[in-house]
Amino acid sequence: MLKKLLFTIALTAFVSFTYAQIHKWGDTSRLKVEGNHLVDTEGNQVMLHGVMDTPSPYFSGYRFTDNHWIDVYREGDQYIDKCINYFDKLFTAVTDTEQGSWCNVFRLHLDPCWTDNPNLMAEGFTKNGDKFYDPHGTEVSGEANIMRFDKSRLANYLVKLYMPIAQKAKGHGMYVIMRPPGVCPQKILVGDYYQQYLLTVWDLVTKNQEVLANSDWLSIELANEPISILDANGKDDNKAMHDFFQPIVDKIRENGFKGIIWIPGGSWQQNYRPYASNPVTDPMHATDPQIGYAVHFYPGWYNTSDDKTDVKQSIRSFLDAVPVVKKSPVMITEVDWSPKDPTGQGHWNESGQWVEPNCGTWATGSTSKFGVTYKEIVDYFGNIGWTLTHTHDYLDIDFYLSTGYVRPAFTTKLTDNAYEACSGACFKWYAEYAKTEHKAREWTEEEGSKEMFPLNEWEFNPSIWETGSFDPESGKLVTGQYGFGGWQYSEPLDLSPYKYVVVQLKQAAPNSGDWSASFRLFCNNSYWTSPYSTNCGGKQTIVVPLEGQKNEDGTTFDPSHVYIAGFWTLGGESNAIYIDKLFVSNDGITPATGIEAIYTAPETNNSYFDLLGRKVQNLEKGRIYIQNGKKIMVR
């Protein structure tokens, strides 16, 4: 009896402890950023999983407009209540845990069909025939054409429609992410009309008292799918993304909005490399920024496919494209997939690629191929949530409205195997996530957060050219035939403060012929450019001088911009090399690792670099930087 009682007490304690580590389902109390993840008021890590939707009659299948097209500008007001009630039904369905649906976030599009005024034509826009051109002279169409935007209509429907929908979502236990009306045009510039448009939108939204009062559960995604973000002169610039979005963040904070702001990237929200050295800062929360990054992810992106996929390679690709995932939470605000359907209709995607007909999603793919790889990627990082691109990618809407029963979308088409689409997969995964403690990955020095040449399976890529393998324990690298393995940097290393890179191998490199193995540095962001090469054959220690060197084609090697570093071999087991370590040095013997100076107030006119060799502007107390080849600590 005593043993049974003790076991019961122990089990109760365990259950209580475990429950305390899991965010309470349906709780929409304050959500905030802490480090690289989200937490609730109890400090539990939170993962958001749900759907996106838009109060557009067209995208809602005319379900709230009596199954017919309407002129929203003239007739929309009479359908507002029907629209709100329709979304209330959807929220009831996607949060019905008894029937297996477990959504806890809703991405709300402030759809431009409500904010457009057909009687307006914004300054700088032109029309030629049936085509429209923005102030840059770029053809714009659909939701990328903002020339009809009416600020007064946004103010009106924010109160009458958008916030009531958001409140309904909150009432069903869902956090809300609000995105602006429309999508980005092909090209946007710092200081241009589109930046002013977003400033206008978010200035108006975040001056609304209801929005301000609900910033605990309401967050903001600044833009949808920027493609090319350029500086004020229309040039590619590493600071352009920061300079475009920072003023918008500043305006939102100036208005008093305290909630989370999600920052988009370029290339349809799949390029965040420039933020690694130029992150958007939070003027309201300088030491605890309430900022995350909104990413998109479809089959074929980040080295994925709907065929055999190398998960490690995909993780490396995601980390390369989205390096901010190390320091900030990430929301994938668009993702979907469903298998090929010969009865469906294909389309051209945003990149001009043909998408095979599928069951009804934007992207074509299968859970057993693409989907499981996608899940492994997000689970590896541990701080990535997501929203499916539409409610109809998750829920069989019409079946629910007619019967009251909740089931995954595409159930009929997939003969009750909806798991092969994002719908059935997310019904399963969302339920599992809701009952599981979450833990964001902690990035250590060994995993490359501070190292230039990290030797781990995620950041050392043995297959930069041809398929190779790498064992972090033994340091063994086997490349494919004439293959190359090493590191690719989202932001180039600046090795100019140093005189050498020292390569130490565990045993001498194979020497089966002239240049059977070499160490290479690329000062251009492409493997197919000419590198600076140093022969490794027969050597165990290779000292690579950095000053005054030439690339293989005779051009000058620039150590201040190293995009790729690594090893080329003839390939195969007989040409394997065993890597011990690599380090930068100023004497060719000892690593430049010691903290050689402590500055209380470093001079601002000098150049400083982080431990990845990237130039930095804002120095933080307690961190280590490189200045004039020496490590310094700021205090």
Side-chain angles (χ1 to χ4, degrees):
M1 182 66 181
L2 178 60
K3 288 182 179 179
K4 183 176 180 181
L5 177 61
L6 290 173
F7 174 78
T8 302
I9 294 172
L11 179 62
T12 303
F14 173 76
V15 171
S16 298
F17 172 77
T18 302
Y19 180 77
Q21 307 306 306
I22 300 175
H23 174 67
K24 184 179 179 182
W25 182 257
D27 176 14
T28 55
S29 58
R30 173 138 191 250
L31 188 68
K32 68 174 184 176
V33 174
E34 187 175 281
N36 68 345
H37 53 273
L38 304 175
V39 297
D40 61 16
T41 53
E42 301 298 319
N44 303 315
Q45 293 194 20
V46 180
M47 293 288 280
L48 301 178
H49 299 98
V51 296
M52 166 199 156
D53 214 323
T54 181
S56 156
Y58 171 78
F59 286 111
S60 297
Y62 303 110
R63 293 184 183 93
F64 66 82
T65 59
D66 304 325
N67 296 310
H68 66 265
W69 178 88
I70 66 166
D71 182 339
V72 175
Y73 179 70
R74 293 177 175 81
E75 305 173 72
D77 280 16
Q78 61 186 289
Y79 289 94
I80 286 177
D81 288 343
K82 289 185 177 182
C83 180
I84 295 169
N85 290 335
Y86 167 72
F87 276 92
D88 191 32
K89 292 177 183 178
L90 295 188
F91 299 148
T92 301
V94 299
T95 58
D96 190 335
T97 58
E98 292 186 2
Q99 295 197 65
S101 53
W102 292 79
C103 292
N104 66 346
V105 64
F106 176 65
R107 182 190 187 221
L108 171 61
H109 180 200
L110 308 182
D111 199 287
C113 72
W114 295 91
T115 62
D116 278 1
N117 181 340
N119 301 314
L120 294 181
M121 186 161 177
E123 182 180 356
F125 283 81
T126 57
K127 182 179 181 182
N128 187 354
D130 60 351
K131 295 182 178 180
F132 296 93
Y133 298 86
D134 70 10
H136 299 314
T138 304
E139 182 182 349
V140 286
S141 61
E143 293 182 349
N145 184 358
I146 63 164
M147 71 177 191
R148 310 293 190 194
F149 172 68
D150 188 332
K151 180 179 176 180
S152 65
R153 288 180 65 83
L154 172 60
N156 182 38
Y157 293 108
L158 179 64
V159 174
K160 289 183 177 179
L161 180 65
Y162 301 134
M163 280 307 296
I165 290 175
Q167 289 284 7
K168 291 290 187 183
K170 194 258 185 187
H172 288 280
M174 302 172 78
Y175 290 99
V176 175
I177 299 171
M178 190 176 279
R179 57 163 272 207
V183 300
C184 291
Q186 182 74 30
K187 178 175 67 175
I188 55 180
L189 277 64
V190 174
D192 75 347
Y193 80 96
Y194 202 80
Q195 186 183 42
Q196 184 57 53
Y197 163 72
L198 292 175
L199 278 165
T200 299
V201 167
W202 293 123
D203 183 37
L204 186 152
V205 169
T206 58
K207 281 180 177 173
N208 178 279
Q209 291 304 307
E210 187 179 4
V211 170
L212 293 175
N214 290 288
S215 62
D216 284 357
W217 55 269
L218 177 65
S219 60
I220 287 171
E221 182 179 353
L222 294 185
N224 188 70
E225 295 203 332
I227 304 167
S228 180
I229 307 174
L230 306 173
D231 69 12
N233 297 313
K235 305 293 184 182
D236 282 320
D237 186 290
N238 212 35
K239 286 193 65 183
M241 286 166 60
H242 166 276
D243 292 351
F244 189 92
F245 289 112
Q246 185 67 60
I248 304 173
V249 171
D250 293 345
K251 173 56 68 176
I252 290 170
R253 294 304 192 214
E254 180 186 317
N255 290 343
F257 182 81
K258 299 178 181 178
I260 298 168
I261 301 174
W262 301 98
I263 313 296
S267 301
W268 294 280
Q269 288 183 239
Q270 56 183 312
N271 175 23
Y272 296 75
R273 296 174 182 89
Y275 293 129
S277 53
N278 296 284
V280 174
T281 58
D282 188 339
M284 183 180 284
H285 309 278
T287 59
D288 187 23
Q290 295 303 294
I291 284 176
Y293 290 85
V295 177
H296 290 180
F297 197 143
Y298 289 105
W301 294 17
Y302 312 109
N303 256 315
T304 62
S305 72
D306 201 39
D307 202 347
K308 184 178 179 181
T309 299
D310 182 338
V311 175
K312 291 181 181 179
Q313 182 81 331
S314 297
I315 289 174
R316 292 187 199 102
S317 295
F318 188 88
L319 184 58
D320 172 68
V322 193
V324 290
V325 71
K326 289 183 178 181
K327 295 184 177 180
S328 303
V330 164
M331 274 297 298
I332 295 173
T333 53
E334 283 190 24
V335 60
D336 66 35
W337 67 90
S338 61
K340 292 180 183 178
D341 177 11
T343 67
Q345 187 173 1
H347 62 271
W348 299 97
N349 69 12
E350 56 280 304
S351 301
Q353 299 167 324
W354 178 249
V355 178
E356 295 286 344
N358 58 50
C359 297
T361 52
W362 178 249
T364 301
S366 303
T367 300
S368 57
K369 298 172 184 175
F370 165 77
V372 292
T373 299
Y374 165 77
K375 187 173 185 295
E376 283 194 62
I377 294 169
V378 298
D379 286 352
Y380 170 78
F381 292 101
N383 63 335
I384 302 175
W386 75 81
T387 54
L388 293 179
T389 308
H390 197 284
T391 308
H392 65 218
D393 294 333
Y394 180 73
L395 173 71
D396 187 336
I397 297 175
D398 291 323
F399 182 75
Y400 172 75
L401 293 177
S402 62
T403 68
Y405 288 102
V406 172
R407 72 181 185 186
F410 321 123
T411 297
T412 303
K413 281 193 173 186
L414 293 173
T415 320
D416 296 323
N417 188 23
Y419 177 76
E420 276 301 289
C422 58
S423 52
C426 288
F427 260 73
K428 179 177 185 295
W429 298 342
Y430 286 6
E432 293 171 353
Y433 284 131
K435 304 166 190 175
T436 307
E437 178 187 356
H438 302 295
K439 186 69 174 174
R441 186 176 187 84
E442 296 179 1
W443 293 90
T444 65
E445 292 188 20
E446 290 72 24
E447 290 172 308
S449 60
K450 294 182 180 178
E451 287 190 42
M452 292 183 182
F453 308 107
L455 291 168
N456 64 71
E457 61 182 335
W458 305 112
E459 291 169 280
F460 184 93
N461 183 357
S463 306
I464 292 177
W465 177 247
E466 296 295 350
T467 302
S469 64
F470 177 67
D471 177 13
E473 294 296 320
S474 65
K476 181 181 179 181
L477 168 66
V478 178
T479 73
Q481 186 176 23
Y482 312 125
F484 182 87
W487 301 269
Q488 291 177 291
Y489 304 101
S490 54
E491 293 299 312
L493 293 182
D494 185 347
L495 300 180
S496 60
Y498 309 102
K499 294 181 179 179
Y500 306 96
V501 170
V502 179
V503 178
Q504 291 186 348
L505 305 179
K506 294 183 178 180
Q507 62 187 51
N511 196 22
S512 54
D514 291 342
W515 291 80
S516 55
S518 63
F519 178 72
R520 301 183 174 188
L521 296 169
F522 293 76
C523 55
N524 292 293
N525 196 14
S526 169
Y527 180 70
W528 293 108
T529 57
S530 182
Y532 163 41
S533 298
T534 304
N535 188 11
C536 298
K539 302 174 185 176
Q540 188 168 349
T541 298
I542 303 95
V543 179
V544 182
L546 296 173
E547 298 176 344
Q549 302 303 311
K550 298 289 185 181
N551 297 316
E552 289 181 349
D553 64 359
T555 58
T556 300
F557 169 68
D558 181 1
S560 70
H561 283 75
V562 174
Y563 286 93
I564 305 172
F567 300 88
W568 178 94
T569 81
L570 292 173
E573 287 283 342
S574 62
N575 291 293
I577 60 174
Y578 292 81
I579 308 168
D580 184 16
K581 57 186 174 182
L582 291 83
F583 56 86
V584 290
S585 173
N586 284 318
D587 60 9
I589 301 172
T590 57
T593 57
I595 300 174
E596 293 147 2
I598 297 180
Y599 285 6
T600 302
E603 299 175 25
T604 57
N605 59 344
N606 289 333
S607 295
Y608 297 91
F609 304 85
D610 66 15
L611 296 188
L612 280 174
R614 298 174 303 206
K615 193 170 184 178
V616 294
Q617 292 180 324
N618 301 315
L619 306 186
E620 299 178 33
K621 292 181 179 180
R623 291 190 177 274
I624 301 171
Y625 298 95
I626 300 164
Q627 183 216 15
N628 297 327
K630 297 181 179 181
K631 282 194 175 182
I632 65 166
M633 178 179 285
V634 180
R635 70 179 183 187

